[in-house]
Amino acid sequence: MEIKVYRDLMGENEKWANKTRQLLTENSCVMFNLIGGPGCGKTTLLEKMVGQLEEKLRFAVLEGDIETTRDAERLADLKIPVSQLLTGGACHLEAKMVYYALADFDLKKLDAVIVENVGNLVCPAEFDVGEKVKIAVLSVTEGEEKPLKYPLLFREAAALVLTKTDLLPYLNFNKEACLDNVRRINTNLPIFPVSATQETGIKEFVEWLINKIQAK
Amino acid sequence: MEIKVYRDLMGENEKWANKTRQLLTENSCVMFNLIGGPGCGKTTLLEKMVGQLEEKLRFAVLEGDIETTRDAERLADLKIPVSQLLTGGACHLEAKMVYYALADFDLKKLDAVIVENVGNLVCPAEFDVGEKVKIAVLSVTEGEEKPLKYPLLFREAAALVLTKTDLLPYLNFNKEACLDNVRRINTNLPIFPVSATQETGIKEFVEWLINKIQAK
């Protein structure tokens, strides 16, 4: 009985993920699913990408959080279309939530939607929300062994953004070991080291994102 | 039917949590459940506490991770009894896992067991594993709004350890706002700012822990 319920729940998510993908395809819109631990710098990364993204394409952001609308407010301040999905306790976004939230946007007028998932390195990686690709975000303050300890996200991701590199001088973080650990999980994963505060590396990641959208 | 299954599953965890609590009581042993996001510094905190704890009491550590035995190896290097619980994908520890892992220890010869949960600010807070109290760990690199965005852990915790304070000069982290946010969720929560690299604040937290054990 337990297994049956589990399967139904998963089937339910897949059904909504497929509906979402179809909706996006019909509107020639590409969706990204940004996943990383709490405080790894996902929102700040998005804030710093806005300027460069706006020059090249029309996009919106879906913010996923358990509580508060703080992240959505930060992005709304930058005058981009943004909605906040509150899970009310759940540790990840599911496809049905995302499908309904997309109705807030005029998809015909968008090239891309970026979903910022709930801050969690584990559960969000298990749920397809209809995205084209998942993007992993890891901050250098979290330690170089994280790809080995939380392999699913790094295996599922199409790119890794390594944030907060400006803090490297103050940390015992072995960048080479981190990159080796990533390669053990996902050999050819593109890795983008960035510092949002120093605004380095953002351009390269934005270019990768735009190429992914144009390859739709 | 789904509600029934959910209740059974929760009942199952409660049953094992109660068995664990009984086992610990019979052995006059106190268990703590250390919870925080990935890379917030839980293992490093434990490493730095070992010396001061050893002077005062006999203790063991249960390491919870999805994969790898790295954290357990780090603590085993310090010659303390340690076991590694691998969840094989699950994002939190459940009471049954902890109950069986405790069999590795000679509880009669221990005053305390410290459980380091899977790195996750969300799900572990939902699962009682038979601990006396939960302890929240948050690093200053994660941002001051986290208590509002992930309120359950901060509501459930009996203490908060605020780690990596040595990085404060290099961050846009408003410590007063963070403490205010904690107070909004849990008015009287004791807060211990620590820097493991500079070994500041560890003593105060260890003293609090020892008082909790002696008040068993």
Side-chain angles (χ1 to χ4, degrees):
Chain A
M1 200 58 210
E2 278 175 32
I3 291 168
K4 184 168 179 294
V5 172
Y6 181 73
R7 280 186 182 152
D8 282 349
L9 286 169
M10 294 305 279
E12 182 75 0
N13 191 68
E14 276 309 297
K15 190 183 83 182
W16 287 100
N18 289 336
K19 272 172 79 91
T20 301
R21 235 182 305 272
Q22 193 184 336
L23 178 71
L24 290 161
T25 304
E26 285 165 6
N27 288 281
S28 299
C29 186
V30 174
M31 192 166 77
F32 297 91
N33 187 358
L34 208 60
I35 301 176
C40 71
K42 297 180 290 301
T43 315
T44 306
L45 175 67
L46 287 174
E47 285 176 325
K48 298 294 180 176
M49 288 164 61
V50 165
Q52 294 176 37
L53 277 175
E54 274 180 332
E55 290 174 15
K56 302 284 178 69
L57 51 89
R58 304 161 302 169
F59 71 103
V61 172
L62 261 186
E63 281 292 335
D65 277 298
I66 293 174
E67 293 201 16
T68 88
T69 55
R70 293 195 167 214
D71 290 353
E73 288 161 22
R74 285 169 61 184
L75 291 161
D77 284 347
L78 302 173
K79 315 287 179 212
I80 55 163
V82 58
S83 288
Q84 177 83 50
L85 270 171
L86 293 181
T87 66
C91 56
H92 61 274
L93 294 178
E94 292 188 17
K96 190 175 179 178
M97 304 175 191
V98 171
Y99 181 84
Y100 280 106
L102 286 178
D104 279 353
F105 300 129
D106 186 351
L107 293 177
K108 288 229 176 302
K109 294 189 178 158
L110 293 176
D111 301 303
V113 173
I114 305 176
V115 175
E116 181 186 337
N117 220 306
V118 177
N120 185 332
L121 206 46
V122 190
C123 318
E126 295 171 24
F127 290 83
D128 177 5
V129 295
E131 72 273 351
K132 182 183 176 92
V133 293
K134 292 180 175 67
I135 296 164
V137 182
L138 178 72
S139 71
V140 295
T141 59
E142 294 175 67
E144 61 268 3
E145 81 291 7
K146 292 299 170 295
L148 301 180
K149 289 174 73 178
Y150 304 85
L152 181 64
L153 174 61
F154 297 88
R155 197 174 292 134
E156 292 268 317
L160 165 62
V161 184
L162 191 65
T163 58
K164 308 194 189 187
T165 56
D166 52 288
L167 294 174
L168 282 171
Y170 317 111
L171 302 172
N172 298 318
F173 179 85
N174 186 332
K175 192 176 164 189
E176 282 313 307
C178 181
L179 300 185
D180 276 356
N181 290 338
V182 173
R183 304 280 178 232
R184 286 165 68 179
I185 302 295
N186 191 336
T187 313
N188 297 312
L189 187 66
I191 301 173
F192 298 94
V194 309
S195 162
T197 54
Q198 298 185 349
E199 307 203 16
T200 56
I202 311 280
K203 185 166 164 274
E204 290 76 7
F205 176 57
V206 168
E207 274 170 14
W208 177 88
L209 210 67
I210 288 169
N211 282 335
K212 274 279 167 198
I213 293 165
Q214 288 169 345
K216 71 189 171 186
Chain B
M1 199 59 211
E2 275 176 32
I3 291 170
K4 186 170 178 294
V5 172
Y6 180 73
R7 277 185 184 154
D8 281 347
L9 286 170
M10 294 304 280
E12 182 74 0
N13 190 69
E14 276 311 296
K15 190 183 83 182
W16 287 100
N18 289 335
K19 272 172 79 92
T20 302
R21 236 184 303 272
Q22 192 184 338
L23 178 71
L24 291 162
T25 304
E26 285 165 7
N27 289 280
S28 299
C29 186
V30 174
M31 191 166 78
F32 298 91
N33 187 359
L34 208 60
I35 301 176
C40 70
K42 298 179 290 302
T43 315
T44 305
L45 175 68
L46 287 174
E47 285 177 326
K48 297 295 180 173
M49 288 164 60
V50 164
Q52 294 177 35
L53 277 175
E54 275 180 332
E55 289 175 15
K56 302 283 178 71
L57 49 89
R58 305 160 303 169
F59 71 102
V61 172
L62 262 185
E63 281 293 334
D65 276 299
I66 293 174
E67 292 201 16
T68 88
T69 55
R70 295 198 165 211
D71 290 352
E73 287 162 23
R74 285 169 60 183
L75 291 160
D77 284 347
L78 301 173
K79 314 290 181 209
I80 56 164
V82 59
S83 288
Q84 177 84 49
L85 271 170
L86 293 182
T87 66
C91 55
H92 60 273
L93 294 178
E94 291 187 19
K96 189 175 181 177
M97 306 175 189
V98 171
Y99 181 84
Y100 281 105
L102 286 178
D104 279 354
F105 301 128
D106 187 351
L107 292 179
K108 288 226 176 306
K109 295 189 177 159
L110 293 176
D111 301 303
V113 174
I114 304 176
V115 175
E116 181 186 338
N117 221 304
V118 177
N120 184 332
L121 206 46
V122 190
C123 318
E126 295 172 24
F127 291 83
D128 176 6
V129 296
E131 72 274 352
K132 182 184 177 87
V133 293
K134 292 180 174 69
I135 295 164
V137 182
L138 178 72
S139 70
V140 295
T141 58
E142 294 175 68
E144 61 268 1
E145 81 291 5
K146 291 299 171 294
L148 301 181
K149 290 174 71 178
Y150 304 86
L152 181 65
L153 173 61
F154 297 88
R155 199 175 290 137
E156 293 268 316
L160 164 63
V161 184
L162 190 65
T163 59
K164 309 196 188 183
T165 57
D166 53 288
L167 295 175
L168 282 171
Y170 316 112
L171 301 173
N172 298 319
F173 179 84
N174 186 332
K175 192 176 166 190
E176 284 312 306
C178 182
L179 301 185
D180 276 355
N181 290 337
V182 173
R183 302 282 177 229
R184 285 166 68 178
I185 303 295
N186 191 336
T187 314
N188 297 310
L189 187 67
I191 301 172
F192 299 95
V194 308
S195 162
T197 54
Q198 298 185 350
E199 306 203 17
T200 56
I202 311 280
K203 186 166 163 275
E204 290 77 6
F205 176 57
V206 167
E207 273 169 16
W208 177 89
L209 209 67
I210 288 170
N211 282 336
K212 274 279 167 199
I213 294 165
Q214 288 168 344
K216 71 189 170 186

